[in-house]
Amino acid sequence: MTFSRLICLAVLGLTVAACGDSEPGGSPGGGAGGSGEGGSAEASGGGGGAEAGGGGGGGTAAAAPEAPVLAFVMPMTGVLHVEWTPQEGCDAFEGERKDPMDDYAVAFTVAGTKKAYMDPEATEDMEYTYRLRCKVGEVYSAYSNEMSGNPTDEE
């Protein structure tokens, strides 16, 4: 009886040690940098804290890719041609457009190998402003610089 209690205590001690927080600054639900929403894109470890889902952790979260750079927005055959200098390794580029009456909204998503887009929705005589970001998996870059154009302007 005494021997089996000692074994149970030893197993319990190992379990507690294995589950304990061995890293200073770590959180109960994940590695360093964990938060209720799964940590930031730049955090290592990541994977959740005690609130809003918590969960997993471990491993290094993907670092945010660099933002693309808009090269120009130019009228071309009644629409706007948007061109950028892409960043290596992007799975996709997400372009947002705004006009004087509306805020930014996603206007297009193209493959990460593309470097230009003809926007068939930008046809009115007004100034449209664009910004882009690179997507790698579920991680987004910061937004690019902003550039504007009017599809009815003659160059």
Side-chain angles (χ1 to χ4, degrees):
M1 180 89 160
T2 304
F3 182 72
S4 63
R5 282 187 186 171
L6 287 175
I7 291 176
C8 283
L9 287 174
V11 169
L12 180 61
L14 288 174
T15 304
V16 169
C19 293
D21 185 9
S22 61
E23 300 252 342
S27 61
S35 72
E37 282 75 42
S40 70
E42 284 112 18
S44 11
E51 65 276 346
T60 299
E66 288 197 36
V69 176
L70 277 172
F72 60 84
V73 173
M74 149 170 126
M76 193 176 286
T77 62
V79 297
L80 286 172
H81 176 79
V82 181
E83 192 164 312
W84 58 89
T85 304
Q87 297 299 325
E88 292 292 319
C90 293
D91 296 335
F93 290 103
E94 183 180 89
E96 293 186 349
R97 175 186 63 235
K98 74 174 181 173
D99 60 49
M101 280 96 43
D102 298 305
D103 229 358
Y104 276 110
V106 175
F108 61 89
T109 302
V110 296
T113 56
K114 302 289 184 187
K115 65 176 193 167
Y117 180 76
M118 294 286 279
D119 188 356
E121 303 285 319
T123 58
E124 300 290 320
D125 180 14
M126 68 175 73
E127 186 100 346
Y128 294 92
T129 304
Y130 294 86
R131 66 183 183 185
L132 300 174
R133 60 185 182 167
C134 168
K135 181 179 180 189
V136 178
E138 296 300 316
V139 179
Y140 289 91
S141 71
Y143 286 105
S144 69
N145 55 313
E146 296 179 346
M147 294 193 95
S148 301
N150 184 326
T152 62
D153 282 349
E154 299 288 325
E155 291 286 318

